[in-house]
Amino acid sequence: MTSELEMWKKAGKMASEAREFGKTLLKEGANLYEIAVKIEDFIRNKGAKPAFPVQISINNIGAHYTPVPNDEMTIKKGDVVKLDLGTQIEGYIGDTALTIEVGTNKYEKIIKTSEAALNAAIKVCKPGVKLREIGAEIS
């Protein structure tokens, strides 16, 4: 019998794999809806289900933009693209995201700073840690 912890890890690993696959699709000229479909198909082909619709947000859209059929939005050079996705395996969810800049590096510093803050928070997250302790690590 698979333990709960193993199932959470399996869902997380699948989400990570889907995120890395999705990252390869975030290119100049790519259509957001087509990217989302490819990522969701990737998840299903690996034996999981999307935990929620793939979300691809560009520039001033902070998060949670879900492209729909016939969506004509494409990625352009210089866009800051946020990819957010989740996987679900037998009710266990893995949720992950990333931010990239396409074809330029104008926002490289803020993207790297955000990643460093996330990594600092992850290092201290464990049962019993207070939110203010996590905040102190990322400030």
Side-chain angles (χ1 to χ4, degrees):
M1 186 166 130
T2 306
S3 75
E4 256 188 73
L5 180 58
E6 289 170 337
M7 291 303 294
W8 286 113
K9 286 180 178 181
K10 186 175 180 181
K13 184 176 186 295
M14 174 57 59
S16 176
E17 290 175 13
R19 182 194 63 230
E20 293 308 306
F21 170 72
K23 185 177 182 179
T24 70
L25 304 174
L26 304 178
K27 299 180 188 281
E28 186 176 350
N31 174 274
L32 300 193
Y33 179 73
E34 291 172 8
I35 294 168
V37 168
K38 287 176 184 176
I39 295 169
E40 290 178 0
D41 286 347
F42 176 90
I43 292 167
R44 288 183 188 96
N45 290 336
K46 292 283 192 167
K49 297 177 186 174
F52 50 85
V54 168
Q55 300 163 358
I56 309 167
S57 307
I58 296 178
N59 299 329
N60 63 329
I61 301 171
H64 304 136
Y65 179 81
T66 302
V68 296
N70 301 316
D71 195 322
E72 295 181 12
M73 193 178 300
T74 60
I75 297 173
K76 295 170 188 56
K77 183 176 182 176
D79 281 346
V80 175
V81 181
K82 288 79 64 177
L83 173 64
D84 188 356
L85 62 93
T87 59
Q88 185 264 122
I89 302 172
E90 296 180 32
Y92 296 90
I93 294 174
D95 185 353
T96 186
L98 64 80
T99 302
I100 66 160
E101 183 176 358
V102 178
T104 58
N105 62 0
K106 183 178 177 183
Y107 300 101
E108 180 180 19
K109 185 174 179 181
I110 193 165
I111 292 169
K112 287 188 180 216
T113 301
S114 296
E115 288 172 359
L118 173 63
N119 290 332
I122 289 170
K123 283 174 79 173
V124 298
C125 282
K126 60 185 175 197
V129 172
K130 293 180 175 34
L131 187 57
R132 69 177 174 263
E133 296 173 78
I134 297 168
E137 286 297 316
I138 64 175
S139 60

